Amino acid sequence: MRVKDSLADLRDSYLSPSFSLSYKNPLHIVRGKGQYLYDFEGIKYLDGINNIQHVGHSHPKVIKAANTQFKLLNTNTRYLDETILNYARSLTKKLPKGLNKFFFTNSGSESNDLALRLARKYTNSLETIVLEGAYHGHLISLIEISPYKYNGPGGDGPPDHVHPVPMPDPFRGKYRGPDSGPLYFEELNNILKKLKSDQKNIASFISESVMGCGGQIFPPGDFLKASYDAIRFEGGLCIADEVQIGFGRLGKCFWGFDLQDLRPDIVTLGKSIGNGHPLSVVVTTSDIAEKFHNGMEYFNSFGGNPVSCAIGHAVLKIIDEEELQQKAMKVGGRLIEMLNELKSKYDLIGDVRGEGLFIGIEIIKGKNSLTPSGLAARHIVEQMKENRILLSTDGPDHNVIKIKPPMVFNDEDALFLVETLDKILLKY
Ligand SMILES: Cc1ncc(COP(=O)(O)O)c(C=O)c1O
């Protein structure tokens, strides 16, 4: 029996069946370097999807930072330690003024859960506004605010305190076109009015500024900013989930919320922050942190340990040293241009949208149709994999092909991706 087959059998024996594997014929990857992955036979794949390995797989400086600190010491936040402080200081320099109080956790889910706690304490309310199609994590508190999950297979719908706004998708959403922002805002505002008439106050509005699991959705202008203003006016807090889009991925700006000129009250960071190491951060204002400080200690066995902080700090430095944000803007810009050329060639491509290296290709049934084709999208992704390029699909109809590679992805990779996609679409 081939090693790969026996691994699949062992997986069935030991892992919960709730786990999933990518691709019909799953890959057995044994090594990664930069934007490339290598399987057990040494076959090289271009990784077009792993936004967690932000500065590249197995970056030597990340490994060195981890090794050096691990050899020296790993403890917790109950000791005085420079590592966490140096890291927090560097992160502060990347954030808007006023966002300067940090909590350290180990996953995006933990951070979003903590963000909800902060908002609930600050406002003494549970009422939360979310975007349809959004995903914010796998904890009970987050399945509850993630329509992507609670409306999906096995989901139980939202609890009474969760209020979804239609997904602000200008291509295929309830309202369409670049001027649809005010219409989505009206939906959010109606929720606020209803809460008021029910004599309830809003705790928070949590959103990504560009939606990842929703299908690489760029909300129309005039929606998020107006929503932030209205939420604040009613005494609620605005939580920006930067778990997928932060750290320069969008090219134009370091944070997703900057793309929409937003000033969140709480920001959650994850995934790329540790380049694969389980590290995540919540950052907020002094005022909100003070209100949360009610006598109950915040302790997290692993969150903020020196090894995690050394890794996070190394990632932050590499982003600057290797000018990865600028690179994402240039390479991503050219990639989006080439994908748009494919769009004009193939009716199957309904929309190409993106900023930097966060790109979505929406696959539809054909010309003048807005009917999604998850089947075609999945076929394309499988074929891309056969041609040694790893991508995936997302969105409520699983018809959006996502491109969000490690930020070291270069022009040659972009050309290879577009030429391969062209060949596959030609044969479809
Ligand atoms: C936007 C967003 N928020 C939060 C999470 C949860 O992060 P984690 O998987 O680290 O718990 C995810 C994970 O995919 C995500 O995409």
Side-chain angles (χ1 to χ4, degrees):
M1 196 192 281
R2 292 167 61 192
V3 176
K4 210 173 96 171
D5 296 333
S6 64
L7 284 181
D9 287 344
L10 281 174
R11 235 181 109 98
D12 285 346
S13 313
Y14 289 116
L15 302 193
S16 157
S18 306
F19 283 99
S20 77
L21 275 167
S22 300
Y23 307 113
K24 276 186 206 142
N25 185 13
L27 289 170
H28 177 201
I29 298 294
V30 295
R31 191 164 69 82
K33 185 135 192 65
Q35 63 274 49
Y36 307 111
L37 290 171
Y38 300 83
D39 77 0
F40 70 111
E41 290 173 315
I43 296 175
K44 176 180 167 185
Y45 291 86
L46 172 61
D47 185 353
I49 192 65
N50 199 334
N51 58 345
I52 297 174
Q53 303 291 337
H54 198 65
V55 301
H57 293 275
S58 310
H59 195 294
K61 286 189 178 165
V62 176
I63 294 166
K64 187 171 175 216
N67 276 343
T68 308
Q69 185 59 47
F70 226 147
K71 270 187 200 156
L72 195 66
L73 174 79
N74 202 18
T75 49
N76 59 54
T77 47
R78 284 189 179 134
Y79 294 100
L80 290 173
D81 163 45
E82 296 92 342
T83 328
I84 192 169
L85 300 176
N86 290 336
Y87 181 37
R89 191 183 298 122
S90 292
L91 272 174
T92 311
K93 289 186 190 146
K94 295 284 186 193
L95 285 157
K97 231 173 145 203
L99 283 172
N100 53 14
K101 285 287 178 283
F102 293 88
F103 295 86
F104 291 81
T105 76
N106 312 288
S107 71
S109 296
E110 251 192 276
S111 282
N112 279 334
D113 181 81
L114 183 57
L116 291 180
R117 273 179 71 199
L118 290 171
R120 288 172 182 185
K121 269 277 167 285
Y122 193 82
T123 58
N124 204 18
S125 166
L126 290 181
E127 307 302 325
T128 309
I129 297 183
V130 300
L131 299 180
E132 285 288 5
Y135 176 65
H136 295 293
H138 66 87
L139 306 185
I140 292 175
S141 62
L142 304 169
I143 299 289
E144 283 182 357
I145 62 154
S146 297
Y148 182 80
K149 287 285 184 195
Y150 70 58
N151 282 338
D156 293 325
D160 289 345
H161 63 268
V162 173
H163 312 280
V165 174
M167 185 154 81
D169 172 3
F171 178 66
R172 228 164 35 82
K174 181 170 177 184
Y175 310 111
R176 294 174 187 165
D179 300 327
S180 55
L183 297 170
Y184 286 107
F185 168 67
E186 214 37 53
E187 296 264 355
L188 179 134
N189 209 26
N190 287 339
I191 296 171
L192 287 176
K193 283 184 195 157
K194 173 81 172 57
L195 285 173
K196 212 168 180 175
S197 75
D198 292 345
Q199 297 186 323
K200 291 177 177 167
N201 64 310
I202 178 77
S204 65
F205 169 44
I206 180 165
S207 65
E208 294 175 277
S209 303
V210 182
M211 298 177 73
C213 294
Q216 317 289 85
I217 302 291
F218 288 74
D222 296 334
F223 165 57
L224 285 176
K225 197 159 171 54
S227 300
Y228 268 46
D229 290 346
I231 296 283
R232 290 236 179 74
F233 186 76
E234 294 300 333
L237 299 184
C238 299
I239 304 171
D241 181 336
E242 289 280 330
V243 166
Q244 287 223 24
I245 53 177
F247 295 95
R249 174 156 298 277
L250 301 177
K252 264 188 197 154
C253 42
F254 200 77
W255 305 114
F257 58 75
D258 277 330
L259 198 65
Q260 300 267 357
D261 200 20
L262 306 173
R263 282 294 162 265
D265 302 294
I266 304 172
V267 179
T268 57
L269 311 174
K271 288 198 194 277
S272 49
I273 190 172
N275 214 54
H277 179 83
L279 165 65
S280 180
V281 160
V282 180
V283 58
T284 190
T285 63
S286 304
D287 181 31
I288 295 168
E290 242 354 282
K291 215 40 184 272
F292 186 70
H293 181 50
N294 62 355
M296 184 187 286
E297 180 195 13
Y298 174 73
F299 178 68
N300 189 322
S301 299
F302 304 123
N305 71 68
V307 171
S308 298
C309 290
I311 291 172
H313 206 172
V315 171
L316 207 54
K317 285 183 197 155
I318 295 165
I319 294 170
D320 283 348
E321 281 165 14
E322 299 187 11
E323 300 182 342
L324 294 181
Q325 181 185 340
Q326 296 79 343
K327 215 173 148 199
M329 186 153 93
K330 286 189 195 140
V331 177
R334 289 190 279 264
L335 176 55
I336 292 164
E337 230 176 85
M338 290 191 283
L339 290 171
N340 268 312
E341 283 166 24
L342 286 192
K343 182 186 156 206
S344 54
K345 203 166 152 191
Y346 297 105
D347 293 342
L348 218 55
I349 300 182
D351 194 28
V352 170
R353 48 188 179 249
E355 286 291 348
L357 287 171
F358 199 75
I359 301 167
I361 307 170
E362 178 128 11
I363 303 297
I364 50 165
K365 287 236 158 105
K367 202 172 185 163
N368 300 329
S369 157
L370 284 185
T371 312
S373 183
L375 206 67
R378 272 195 302 281
H379 170 82
I380 294 165
V381 165
E382 286 288 344
Q383 286 303 304
M384 290 294 277
K385 176 231 165 190
E386 293 307 315
N387 286 276
R388 319 270 157 89
I389 298 171
L390 306 182
L391 299 174
S392 71
T393 59
D394 224 325
D397 299 297
H398 298 280
N399 69 318
V400 180
I401 298 176
K402 299 190 293 187
I403 305 177
K404 46 189 183 91
M407 300 273 279
V408 286
F409 188 90
N410 61 33
D411 280 326
E412 214 179 299
D413 301 321
L415 190 63
F416 175 45
L417 189 152
V418 173
E419 285 178 350
T420 308
L421 187 57
D422 193 2
K423 266 196 306 198
I424 289 166
L425 289 170
L426 195 65
K427 280 201 214 140
Y428 189 79

